[in-house]
Amino acid sequence: MDAVLERLRAIVGDAHVLVSVEDRASYQRDWRGRYQGDALCVVRPGSVEEVSAVVCACAEHGCPIVPQGGNTSHVGGSVPLGTGREVIVSTSRMNRILAVDAPNNTITVQAGCTLAAVQEAAQAVERLFPLSLASEGSCQIGGNLASNAGGVHVLRYGNMRDLVLGIEAVLPDGRIWNGLRGLRKDNTGYDLKHLFVGSEGTLGIITAAVLKLFPQPRSRAVAWVAVPDAQTALDLLGLVASRAAEHLSAFEIIDASAFELILKHIPQAKSPLSSVSPWYALIELADSNATSTLQVLLEDILATALEKAWVTDAVLAASQAQIEALWALRESAADAQKIEGISIKHDISLPVSRIPEFLQAAEQALTEHFGKIRIVAFGHAGDGNLHYNLSRYEAERNAEFIARTPEANRIVYDIVASFGGSISAEHGLGQLKREEICRYKSEVELDIMRSIKRVLDPAGIMNPGKLL
Ligand code: FAD
Ligand code: ZN
């Protein structure tokens, strides 16, 4: 093992090969605190050439590689297994904006740029990079691509797959593939970049990307509303979508339990409404026209909804500060849940129309099986994506419940599958769902995935034990 460490030091410099237990610690533990791995070292290359040389060295010495960006994965995808032999390749030093082409509406960035840095660089040329996640200050573009991140504006702009035009990647044999093309039209064969999107580090290391930019929204209207149940929330979504059309940029829902945890654990969180409700929705309309009358439009839509009793109470943000406060409520849901304690998490998607049936069927089946449990549901209703988390109300009984995760997963995922849904909407498979997925994908689909892996990574050195 000393030989490979020497090689790596020669490539990236002593300072960028982290070997001590203390230096490795934060790279080996996942964000949720669920997975604790053990790596040989962490390597922080500074260029694509260094990544290539690092991959060659690891391949020659038979050391598996774990690509890592901001290490915010929710599925244990970015941390090593417990073997002590893996090399974590962190892209954190590769954080340069390489080019901004405003007329072409593209930005070319290194994989280690944080999502927030890319949003800022876009803003500097009066453009929008629309991917938006609560982890945007720490997650990186390489990780966003490798996990095909979604977030709150998928409804309007699509997920990471829809936002990428070109990719540069280092293959498991060390070759560099430069596919950094800023083209909206390019029908010259298989679209290889899409293989790397959602590949969770199993096919190579993404080192740079060309991303799409959009006109900046110059007016926004945001409302926080109380709705009596999930079906009504979807009726409301239908109403807003038909009246606001392309101006609808987010439609998020939060159930009463999620909201209760936010108010309990997030110090600055305050309910904008005077009453409590079983469900809430956050609606955002946006327009690139500064003189747009979105506020009037949203007010008008809400008046119709109040009349129909689809909305029981509502607040329309009157200032930028209020817009941010309402969004902060929604975005603190994951943090609040984390502070409350460990839960069994499900990141699922369903045809939007089937969300209410799913909620009813899942609650019934879970209660029959486990007795009383706390269900915390929130998410991107406009995309049919729910974060559906389970725990016991009594902290002292929670550990025993968490130990029964496989039973809870089976119940939830079988119902998701029976409604034509997916067991991973946006977080990926990682270590968490790599076995589970075998039950829900056809043998043909799994076989194609394994064949692609074999062709690109015959020795299986890229992120073993993840996804497949
Ligand atoms: P990491 O966690 O470092 O890695 C994720 C996966 O990608 C791993 O499998 C890793 O091996 C691989 N990888 C990383 N970099 C590269 C690379 N350069 N080349 C090849 N493979 C690589 N996700 C959503 O989709 N929507 C959300 O709304 C959302 N909200 C979140 C909120 C919070 C508070 C947190 C902590 C996470 C959230 N996530 C969300 C999950 C996570 O932020 C995203 O998946 C993010 O895209 C991961 O980026 P990262 O740089 O942290 O990647
Ligand atoms: Zn999400």
Side-chain angles (χ1 to χ4, degrees):
M1 284 301 143
D2 284 351
V4 67
L5 289 174
E6 273 320 300
R7 253 315 267 285
L8 295 173
R9 286 190 184 104
I11 297 165
V12 300
D14 287 3
H16 302 302
V17 180
L18 313 181
V19 180
S20 76
V21 177
E22 307 83 72
D23 286 348
R24 278 185 282 122
S26 65
Y27 296 84
Q28 299 187 151
R29 193 175 165 75
D30 76 312
W31 185 84
R32 285 175 59 198
R34 225 189 124 112
Y35 294 98
Q36 172 68 58
D38 184 29
L40 175 67
C41 64
V42 179
V43 183
R44 297 184 303 186
S47 66
V48 61
E49 291 77 19
E50 285 186 10
V51 174
S52 165
V54 164
V55 170
C56 287
C58 291
E60 279 167 35
H61 287 86
C63 293
I65 291 168
V66 183
Q68 188 179 97
N71 195 17
T72 64
S73 168
H74 275 344
V75 291
S78 50
V79 290
L81 306 175
T83 61
R85 286 177 39 80
E86 290 174 314
V87 172
I88 297 172
V89 177
S90 164
T91 47
S92 54
R93 283 179 64 223
M94 297 174 62
N95 58 0
R96 279 190 306 128
I97 306 285
L98 298 173
V100 183
D101 185 343
N104 195 43
N105 280 308
T106 52
I107 185 167
T108 305
V109 304
Q110 286 188 314
C113 286
T114 62
L115 173 52
V118 174
Q119 292 167 341
E120 277 160 33
Q123 204 169 6
V125 292
E126 296 190 12
R127 296 290 190 278
L128 171 76
F129 182 63
L131 190 77
S132 176
L133 316 175
S135 56
E136 60 203 20
S138 38
C139 66
Q140 300 176 6
I141 294 302
N144 297 151
L145 284 163
S147 61
N148 187 23
V152 295
H153 295 310
V154 173
L155 182 62
R156 168 78 175 82
Y157 298 99
N159 48 26
M160 200 56 182
R161 186 181 297 286
D162 302 303
L163 300 174
V164 62
L165 293 174
I167 276 182
E168 176 191 75
V170 172
L171 304 182
D173 61 8
R175 281 182 300 165
I176 298 169
W177 171 53
N178 184 333
L180 290 177
R181 288 184 282 264
L183 304 174
R184 265 121 184 131
K185 290 191 164 179
D186 178 17
N187 286 347
T188 53
Y190 303 143
D191 201 338
L192 299 179
K193 66 177 177 285
H194 285 304
L195 271 183
F196 292 90
V197 180
S199 64
E200 299 187 41
T202 62
L203 299 180
I205 303 181
I206 298 164
T207 48
V210 185
L211 306 172
K212 291 184 195 171
L213 299 179
F214 294 81
Q216 244 180 353
R218 292 198 178 77
S219 46
R220 278 161 99 194
V222 172
W224 182 276
V225 304
V227 283
D229 52 54
Q231 181 58 56
T232 312
L234 294 184
D235 295 340
L236 178 63
L237 168 63
L239 176 72
V240 183
S242 70
R243 297 274 299 275
E246 70 280 6
H247 296 309
L248 175 57
S249 76
F251 193 100
E252 301 279 309
I253 56 172
I254 294 188
D255 75 354
S257 334
F259 196 48
E260 211 179 290
L261 293 185
I262 293 169
L263 297 180
K264 179 174 167 192
H265 293 298
I266 307 297
Q268 63 281 16
K270 223 174 109 243
S271 175
L273 305 174
S274 49
S275 53
V276 293
S277 170
W279 285 88
Y280 304 89
L282 184 155
I283 306 164
E284 179 180 283
L285 309 186
D287 193 343
S288 47
N289 181 351
T291 58
S292 167
T293 51
L294 291 180
Q295 198 83 3
V296 178
L297 174 62
L298 189 50
E299 226 169 282
D300 197 46
I301 294 171
L302 292 179
T304 308
L306 279 159
E307 232 166 74
K308 290 173 180 283
W310 288 358
V311 163
T312 53
D313 199 358
V315 59
L316 199 59
S319 64
Q320 184 61 30
Q322 222 180 341
I323 288 181
E324 277 158 27
L326 294 181
W327 266 113
L329 283 177
R330 161 63 188 93
E331 301 214 306
S332 51
D335 282 330
Q337 175 100 66
K338 190 178 175 187
I339 298 167
E340 175 72 12
I342 191 160
S343 61
I344 303 176
K345 289 179 181 267
H346 304 103
D347 160 40
I348 54 178
S349 65
L350 296 146
V352 174
S353 52
R354 307 206 72 180
I355 289 178
E357 277 172 278
F358 162 80
L359 287 167
Q360 202 169 25
E363 181 169 356
Q364 189 180 343
L366 287 163
T367 312
E368 271 168 23
H369 191 81
F370 291 110
K372 194 169 165 63
I373 55 168
R374 170 162 52 204
I375 298 174
V376 170
F378 58 93
H380 322 289
D383 322 317
N385 178 190
L386 281 182
H387 299 306
Y388 189 78
N389 305 335
L390 315 173
S391 58
R392 287 270 187 226
Y393 283 93
E394 314 82 1
E396 65 283 1
R397 288 184 63 207
N398 206 36
E400 164 265 341
F401 176 65
I402 301 297
R404 298 174 71 185
T405 297
E407 292 164 57
N409 288 351
R410 181 56 21 90
I411 292 171
V412 172
Y413 292 150
D414 279 359
I415 296 173
V416 167
S418 74
F419 286 130
S422 165
I423 70 163
S424 180
E426 54 177 14
H427 295 158
L429 300 173
Q431 302 183 56
L432 186 66
K433 299 182 187 171
R434 88 180 155 215
E435 267 122 37
E436 201 77 52
I437 195 61
C438 296
R439 183 177 166 93
Y440 301 104
K441 267 200 201 293
S442 73
E443 210 28 66
V444 175
E445 210 169 344
L446 288 169
D447 192 44
I448 296 172
M449 283 169 55
R450 291 187 193 115
S451 306
I452 291 171
K453 170 78 175 169
R454 264 197 306 275
V455 167
L456 281 175
D457 184 18
I461 66 160
M462 279 293 165
N463 220 3
K466 319 289 167 55
L467 196 151
L468 283 171

